Amino acid sequence: MQDKLNEIKAKALELISAGDTPEKLNDIKVSVLGKKGELTAIMKSLKDVAPQDRPKVGQMINDARAEIEKNLEEAMAKLQAEVRNAKLKAEVIDVTLPSKKPVIGHRHPNSIALEEVERIFIGLGYEVCEGPEIEKDYYNFEALNIPADHPAKDEQDTFYINADMLLRTQTSSTQIHAMENEKPPIRILAPGRVFRADEVDATHSPSFHQIEGLVVDKNITFADLKGTLAEFAKELFGEETKVKFRPHHFPFTEPSAEMDVSCFKCGGKGCRFCKGSGWIEILGCGMVHPRVLEKCNIDPKEYTGFAFGVGLERIALLKYEIDDMRLLYENDVRFLNQF
Ligand code: DAH
């Protein structure tokens, strides 16, 4: 019996040391220690052993069982540790690797330019407001002193919705809303989308953006207009920027002007950018026409004002040196990523 026991033990220990998976170890456990296992069978045959030898033999069986169990446990613990180490090794994190950057969008050049313009005028005490994109003829034309037979009203330029309603062709309409809604002093900046029946090309689009400015108060003069817009140009294009006002005509201002800035590329010497002239046209402006003030029930004898209108795309194209307006509307991320 002792030989048998030693044989079982030796075989079991050998199998255990060769067992390289938890499943194999478990099979050994069942076949040796399980209910129908070899060692269990021997335990059962203890009754055939002479009574005086039983304690000794029983002890031997128990010792063998304990040794096999101990070996099994150690082998199992070792295997599990190996499995765990292999897993840890496979999942190791190199904290020195650069992280994956989440793809976040970029601000549109129009938005960057608008924020810049707003920042400048907010700094000068202006309030930013918005007007409707769908307007009555009155706000877009009539109240702005644009007579019924004016060429700008031609259906070729204006998107009419019906005889009286249209998509605004200029943010100047916001001037009228502002003067109807508030009493002077008024100091507003009104950005927004405008619409014109234009063919798409490098400098035209049926929908683009303007930024309108309006100041109405007592004793506002052309000097205020010049000072304000010169300051704006310096903030936007650099401290050395000079401005030049050329007489122009707008129905809603008198006198009217267009403002040029000295080319910020060549400093005014003349380059490809300013087409050799040294100057770049930037905006339209003028003193609010008395008739426009009257339409809004503001007494032109008591109050005067100035207004200006800037093309937002024009600013964005100039500032970021983009040579085709269409790029601003295609929303190609490879283009937008650059800003
Ligand atoms: N509304 C004009 C345009 O669309 C721009 C403009 C010129 C606005 C002179 C003004 C202004 O407020 O005073 O071309």
Side-chain angles (χ1 to χ4, degrees):
M1 184 159 223
Q2 192 171 351
D3 288 348
K4 183 93 202 284
L5 199 57
N6 282 337
E7 194 190 308
I8 290 172
K9 196 171 87 178
K11 202 180 93 198
L13 295 184
E14 199 185 304
L15 282 174
I16 290 168
S17 68
D20 53 3
T21 65
E23 292 75 32
K24 278 186 192 166
L25 290 180
N26 207 44
D27 287 347
I28 298 165
K29 189 173 174 181
V30 171
S31 69
V32 182
L33 307 176
K35 261 190 197 156
K36 289 179 183 144
E38 290 170 281
L39 210 61
T40 318
I42 286 209
M43 197 61 151
K44 278 179 188 157
S45 65
L46 198 60
K47 60 181 189 309
D48 305 330
V49 173
Q52 69 275 22
D53 293 338
R54 271 186 210 159
K56 202 174 131 227
V57 175
Q59 183 65 46
M60 276 164 54
I61 296 172
N62 278 340
D63 287 349
R65 189 181 180 89
E67 196 176 341
I68 293 168
E69 272 176 350
K70 186 167 155 265
N71 272 272
L72 262 176
E73 263 167 36
E74 282 171 4
M76 190 63 107
K78 199 170 142 229
L79 262 185
Q80 279 166 350
E82 273 169 17
V83 170
R84 198 173 55 233
N85 284 340
K87 199 169 167 219
L88 284 177
K89 211 165 177 183
E91 291 175 354
V92 79
I93 295 169
D94 182 350
V95 292
T96 65
L97 281 177
S99 60
K100 284 186 194 146
K101 290 212 175 67
V103 184
I104 49 169
H106 283 253
R107 280 156 75 236
H108 194 279
N110 269 358
S111 309
I112 308 173
L114 176 58
E115 252 175 57
E116 177 71 3
V117 174
E118 286 182 349
R119 186 189 61 78
I120 296 167
F121 281 99
I122 288 170
L124 292 170
Y126 286 60
E127 190 188 323
V128 177
C129 64
E130 274 175 32
E133 290 173 4
I134 299 174
E135 278 288 14
K136 283 193 163 157
D137 183 288
Y138 177 80
Y139 287 93
N140 197 79
F141 293 125
E142 205 184 316
L144 285 162
N145 197 32
I146 300 172
D149 56 358
H150 195 279
K153 293 187 69 173
D154 200 308
E155 273 177 57
Q156 280 180 5
D157 293 318
T158 308
F159 288 114
Y160 280 94
I161 292 168
N162 57 38
D164 190 34
M165 300 294 287
L166 47 82
L167 299 182
R168 68 176 173 196
T169 61
Q170 49 184 356
T171 46
S172 302
S173 52
T174 332
Q175 291 186 29
I176 307 303
H177 290 288
M179 288 188 278
E180 277 183 358
N181 295 337
E182 318 173 28
K183 296 249 153 303
I186 295 168
R187 210 175 266 115
I188 56 142
L189 191 74
R193 189 185 276 266
V194 298
F195 305 86
R196 286 182 202 178
D198 273 330
E199 294 289 337
V200 174
D201 66 21
T203 53
H204 291 86
S205 161
S207 163
F208 55 103
H209 299 79
Q210 289 185 332
I211 311 172
E212 194 79 14
L214 173 71
V215 173
V216 182
D217 202 353
K218 287 178 177 157
N219 304 318
I220 297 290
T221 70
F222 203 90
D224 296 304
L225 177 156
K226 282 177 78 176
T228 303
L229 295 178
E231 188 57 34
F232 163 61
K234 282 183 185 177
E235 285 257 357
L236 193 62
F237 296 115
E239 194 53 39
E240 299 75 37
T241 309
K242 293 191 195 66
V243 294
K244 179 169 85 173
F245 292 86
R246 285 178 288 102
H248 202 79
H249 171 263
F250 297 105
F252 34 89
T253 44
E254 180 58 36
S256 304
E258 276 187 336
M259 184 179 90
D260 297 347
V261 294
S262 55
C263 178
F264 46 86
K265 244 339 222 198
C266 64
K269 287 196 261 327
C271 68
R272 196 182 60 87
F273 210 64
C274 54
K275 299 190 186 80
S277 74
W279 295 96
I280 299 172
E281 184 196 317
I282 273 299
L283 55 76
C285 56
M287 300 305 291
V288 181
H289 199 293
R291 240 177 272 159
V292 174
L293 293 173
E294 271 167 6
K295 288 256 188 210
C296 302
N297 288 322
I298 294 174
D299 183 356
K301 286 189 204 75
E302 197 181 352
Y303 290 103
T304 50
F306 70 81
F308 55 91
V310 198
L312 176 60
E313 279 79 359
R314 183 152 176 77
I315 302 278
L317 296 183
L318 283 172
K319 243 185 118 65
Y320 307 113
E321 296 180 28
I322 303 164
D323 54 15
D324 194 322
M325 192 167 164
R326 284 167 288 199
L327 289 166
L328 293 177
Y329 304 120
E330 281 163 3
N331 285 331
D332 184 329
V333 286
R334 289 166 303 180
F335 167 75
L336 294 176
N337 275 352
Q338 300 169 69
F339 302 97

